Amino acid sequence: MSTDNSIKVKDPWFSAKNLKLLRNPFNMENPITVQVLGICSALAVTVQMKPAIVMALSVTIVTGFSNLIIALLRDTIPSRIRIIVQLVVVAALVIIVDQVLKAYVYDVSKKLSVFVGLIITNCILMGRLEAFAMANKPWPSFIDGIGNGLGYGLILVIVAFFREFLGSGKIYGFDVIPQSFYDAGYVNNGLMILPPMALMTIGVIIWVQRSKNPDLQEKN
Amino acid sequence: MENLFNLFVRSIFIDNMIFAYFLGMCSYLAVSKTVKTSIGLGVAVIFVLLITAPVNWLVDTYMLKEGALAWLSPELADLDLSYLSFMIFIAVIAAMVQLVEMAVEKFSPSLYNALGIFLPLIAVNCAILGVALFVQEREYSTIGEVTTYAVGSGVGWFLAIVSLAAIREKIRYSHVPKPLRGLGIAFILTGLMAIAFMSFMGIKI
């Protein structure tokens, strides 16, 4: 980052505009509940908190760096082959993440199975690359990628929290419901562990969010 | 033969791409507003799966697996290129989609006009890459199995998107709570359909 005496005044690194890019995906521009991107992998990894958090971090890293790389290359990529170039950049990053997961958290990487590979076709990546990184400077693009990854991660962690807490009485693998409750007749809700409840939980999250922000509501 | 039939039925109803694995959700939710367009996308997905899954399986078996290159020369027998599979698979899928697009455009302009807008979308449909990765993970051993599984998954996806589109066409005349309209109710509907599809799990075939 050289500070040459260019005509344009450079934004400070954490200017209000850049912070807004980081904050927006958490609510008004959430990738999952508003932009409808990246649902494919969002649901299958939310039975427990641990895989969900690992997945969220992996996606955040890949979105951030792929946005950065594409923003750096965007003037040199011919527009006809840009999809392939984007996919190759993303695939390379995903391979790195996958190898790191296999090396350090092998049990989690087994649980995530094919879903790490499916980060490649995660619509958040292509969506943000097309919509933002192809038209903006590297640093804002990086911030945008990180923000969207974290916005995605937020939904993942909320869904995983409810599914693990209600489904198996645990949070991040630790028992939180005392034995006396079970003795008194409390039973874990086995339905929450099953795939359909992930969809329902996201539906309820959307319901809550759109009740709070009426301008997000659709006509029909 | 019986084995293949079982695999076909399993991949449609029990291991349904949408209701059991949530693959291809983005286009599933975005394109399911009317039945007509959803049929177009569903057919395109079946078509692309039929072509890409066997090709990816061949590439994996004869190029990437541990010891897969032994047919070239004995020195290469202990090479393991499987870490490259993500990149190769997605490249194959993108290239195949491009080829399919050109072929359809040349031989059947009417079909191209019906599918044209969807074909590029399919390159980044998680279901396509998902099938390739599941084939690799479950180690299917013959090309017949792979093709059957791929077509079955495609038909399952087709079934799911057309059913959702049909329900969404009807739901326009219902009084859905305002915040749930559109995306929210689509999620909840999909959840209910997934619960319905879980009843197939008990069937032993």
Side-chain angles (χ1 to χ4, degrees):
Chain A
M1 297 301 255
S2 64
T3 48
D4 53 349
N5 44 7
S6 56
I7 305 160
K8 273 194 68 183
V9 181
K10 271 189 59 174
D11 264 349
W13 280 42
F14 291 104
S15 62
K17 204 172 81 188
N18 286 346
L19 281 180
K20 197 163 158 248
L21 285 177
L22 193 60
R23 242 196 346 262
N24 259 352
F26 282 88
N27 189 13
M28 295 307 284
E29 282 180 27
N30 188 288
I32 292 183
T33 61
V34 181
Q35 301 177 52
V36 205
L37 298 172
I39 295 149
C40 328
S41 53
L43 298 166
V45 297
T46 52
V47 182
Q48 294 162 331
M49 293 276 279
K50 203 173 173 187
I53 289 172
V54 172
M55 183 75 183
L57 288 176
S58 312
V59 170
T60 306
I61 288 165
V62 177
T63 43
F65 283 96
S66 63
N67 259 9
L68 178 71
I69 292 168
I70 293 294
L72 287 169
L73 296 175
R74 72 176 196 276
D75 297 333
T76 54
I77 304 174
S79 72
R80 306 202 88 198
I81 60 159
R82 68 177 194 280
I83 301 279
I84 300 270
V85 173
Q86 288 165 0
L87 282 174
V88 168
V89 167
V90 172
L93 285 164
V94 169
I95 288 174
I96 293 168
V97 166
D98 185 48
Q99 297 291 326
V100 168
L101 289 183
K102 279 201 175 111
Y104 292 102
V105 278
Y106 188 72
D107 56 328
V108 179
S109 103
K110 264 274 161 274
K111 269 200 191 105
L112 293 174
S113 77
V114 299
F115 289 95
V116 177
L118 289 173
I119 296 177
I120 299 173
T121 49
N122 192 321
C123 334
I124 295 181
L125 285 153
M126 297 305 283
R128 293 325 293 173
L129 291 176
E130 280 289 297
F132 201 92
M134 290 301 283
N136 283 283
K137 285 200 154 44
W139 177 248
S141 301
F142 182 68
I143 292 273
D144 180 81
I146 294 282
N148 273 287
L150 290 175
Y152 163 92
L154 176 75
I155 301 288
L156 234 65
V157 170
I158 293 174
V159 175
F161 172 83
F162 282 111
R163 285 182 77 192
E164 194 179 7
F165 180 65
L166 298 172
S168 41
K170 295 177 178 173
I171 291 178
Y172 201 77
F174 299 105
D175 293 307
V176 286
I177 294 178
Q179 191 56 42
S180 56
F181 275 47
Y182 289 113
D183 297 339
Y186 176 83
V187 183
N188 287 331
N189 182 349
L191 192 63
M192 287 305 280
I193 300 178
L194 298 171
M197 288 318 282
L199 293 156
M200 301 269 184
T201 317
I202 296 221
V204 172
I205 291 174
I206 292 174
W207 194 353
V208 171
Q209 192 197 13
R210 292 187 182 189
S211 310
K212 285 199 159 70
N213 307 305
D215 45 349
L216 290 177
Q217 291 172 14
E218 294 170 54
K219 287 282 173 293
N220 61 26
Chain B
M1 198 61 226
E2 191 190 343
N3 175 6
L4 288 185
F5 180 75
N6 287 354
L7 184 67
F8 188 66
V9 174
R10 273 194 73 87
S11 57
I12 295 177
F13 292 106
I14 301 167
D15 294 342
N16 186 293
M17 271 290 141
I18 294 274
F19 298 135
Y21 295 109
F22 314 117
L23 294 179
M25 270 294 195
C26 317
S27 32
Y28 168 82
L29 287 165
V31 189
S32 59
K33 288 200 172 70
T34 57
V35 172
K36 202 160 173 253
T37 48
S38 65
I39 287 177
L41 184 65
V43 171
V45 165
I46 296 174
F47 196 56
V48 171
L49 272 173
L50 175 66
I51 293 165
T52 56
V55 171
N56 271 331
W57 179 80
L58 287 172
V59 167
D60 187 43
T61 314
Y62 293 106
M63 284 167 66
L64 302 174
K65 258 199 199 133
E66 196 169 355
L69 287 168
W71 58 273
L72 268 179
S73 75
E75 298 97 81
L76 299 172
D78 47 5
L79 266 182
D80 180 7
L81 296 176
S82 53
Y83 65 93
L84 282 175
S85 53
F86 292 161
M87 200 181 276
I88 305 282
F89 284 173
I90 197 71
V92 166
I93 289 168
M96 283 292 150
V97 168
Q98 199 85 58
L99 281 176
V100 167
E101 199 176 4
M102 287 176 194
V104 171
E105 193 176 13
K106 186 160 167 33
F107 296 113
S108 169
S110 60
L111 182 66
Y112 179 76
N113 288 334
L115 296 184
I117 42 171
F118 298 129
L119 280 172
L121 266 183
I122 289 175
V124 287
N125 185 327
C126 340
I128 313 286
L129 184 65
V131 166
L133 293 176
F134 277 130
V135 165
Q136 189 189 26
E137 202 183 51
R138 296 175 190 170
E139 296 175 343
Y140 288 129
S141 51
T142 64
I143 198 151
E145 270 184 341
V146 174
T147 315
T148 311
Y149 173 68
V151 174
S153 300
V155 172
W157 201 89
F158 174 89
L159 189 72
I161 193 171
V162 174
S163 337
L164 182 72
I167 298 175
R168 281 179 87 172
E169 279 191 1
K170 285 274 180 293
I171 216 164
R172 262 175 232 156
Y173 308 106
S174 317
H175 294 286
V176 181
K178 275 208 173 74
L180 270 179
R181 273 179 202 173
L183 188 61
I185 200 73
F187 267 112
I188 288 178
L189 282 173
T190 311
L192 290 171
M193 282 155 80
I195 290 176
F197 264 69
M198 279 169 65
S199 56
F200 289 114
M201 276 186 192
I203 299 172
K204 283 271 176 290
I205 44 170

